[in-house]
Amino acid sequence: MDRPDAAHTPISQDLLTPGEPPAWEELNSESPSPLLLLCDHASNRVPQKLAHLGLDLNVFGMHVAYDIGCEKLTRLLSSRFNATALLANYSRLVIDLNRHPGDGSSIPEVSDNIEIPGNHALTPEQIGQREEALFWPYHNRIERILGRIVSRGQTPVLCSIHSFTPIFRGFQRPWHIGVLWDRDQRLSTPLLESLRSARRFRVGDNEPYHARNPVGYTMDVHGEKNGYPHLLLEIRQDLIGHDDGVVEWADIIHTHLQRVLTQVTVP
């Protein structure tokens, strides 16, 4: 799976200009915890050379560009758990780090009924440029962090943080938080039970999305295929779109997930 990083491939250097941040930001690298927090859609940034993809700047404040609230939430969770976290530094409109390369939603021409002019009629070279500059460096870094955890004699545990819109196609989504899983239920089942036992939240079991539709790259490749315990959390955006909400949900997630991590024995 490992591919060359941006710094070592000339095609990648054409996309990011000197002074722009790399594809990812790593937090708490020295953590002794086996937990790795991932935030694929943390940022709405676009490389300067792509000229905002031809979009009105207002679009970059919307869900179509990034997962609102997740960057701050992941930072706080990294601190609460004393765990390493990896955050994406560029918008999913440039390339979606949670989609398999070649998938139609990897570099969308239309997203949430919004035309993305800068993504139309891309050549294979232009697609490859984005993959080499942003996609592979992010996922290569995940693999290196996982290798670091394994080298300590630990089994990595992955938790991916996302957020969802309160309303979708006129439907008021009732869930406060969703727990997404595919085949591995080592973490998802006890976490669902813990959250529901609080009787405070509407908890989605593979809602508002299902982990298999579409299959997300991050959990599929780094979790399922490696056999590591993993889950994906979706928090409703109106709950974490402000600082007080971020603090509240960091506390909620930490309380319930820490309980699960303490109780579940990972072989």
Side-chain angles (χ1 to χ4, degrees), residues 20 33 105 123 138 150 230 235:
E20 287 190 284
S33 172
S105 59
T123 65
Y138 178 79
V150 170
H230 61 279
I235 303 93

Side-chain angles (χ1 to χ4, degrees), residues 15-130:
L15 183 62
L16 299 180
T17 59
E20 287 190 284
W24 47 264
E25 178 185 357
E26 184 174 343
L27 308 177
N28 208 358
S29 301
E30 303 304 316
S31 165
S33 172
L35 178 64
L36 172 59
L37 299 163
L38 300 168
C39 194
D40 301 335
H41 302 147
S43 177
N44 59 2
R45 183 184 286 109
V46 174
Q48 296 173 15
K49 289 189 176 182
L50 296 184
H52 301 112
L53 299 169
L55 291 166
D56 187 289
L57 293 184
N58 291 332
V59 171
F60 294 99
M62 301 165 59
H63 173 72
V64 67
Y66 73 124
D67 276 356
I68 293 167
C70 283
E71 183 227 345
K72 289 183 177 181
L73 180 60
T74 303
R75 290 182 185 278
L76 201 48
L77 287 172
S78 177
S79 176
R80 292 277 198 276
F81 282 103
N82 186 25
T84 299
L86 198 71
L87 293 82
N89 267 336
Y90 290 87
S91 172
R92 63 166 152 230
L93 292 179
V94 180
I95 186 167
D96 195 325
L97 302 182
N98 196 34
R99 295 292 181 268
H100 288 260
D103 184 281
S105 59
S106 172
I107 302 178
E109 294 186 2
V110 180
S111 185
D112 289 353
N113 296 316
I114 297 173
E115 293 279 343
I116 317 297
N119 288 351
H120 279 265
L122 296 182
T123 65
E125 290 74 20
Q126 289 172 317
I127 293 171
Q129 182 186 58
R130 297 190 193 187

Side-chain angles (χ1 to χ4, degrees), residues 120-178:
H120 279 265
L122 296 182
T123 65
E125 290 74 20
Q126 289 172 317
I127 293 171
Q129 182 186 58
R130 297 190 193 187
E131 291 176 356
E132 299 298 340
L134 303 177
F135 185 91
W136 292 114
Y138 178 79
H139 288 289
N140 289 347
R141 190 63 188 177
I142 293 175
E143 285 295 313
R144 292 191 180 106
I145 296 170
L146 295 175
R148 191 167 71 211
I149 294 170
V150 170
S151 72
R152 300 197 299 258
Q154 297 172 306
T155 298
V157 177
L158 291 83
C159 179
S160 190
I161 306 297
H162 293 257
S163 65
F164 64 94
T165 57
I167 300 173
F168 181 68
R169 296 179 180 172
F171 172 62
Q172 184 80 38
R173 288 163 156 170
W175 308 284
H176 297 99
I177 185 171

Side-chain angles (χ1 to χ4, degrees), residues 35 81 157 187 256-266:
L35 178 64
F81 282 103
V157 177
L187 300 180
H256 291 274
L257 184 55
Q258 184 62 44
R259 183 182 303 161
V260 168
L261 295 176
T262 301
Q263 294 173 350
V264 173
T265 300
V266 178

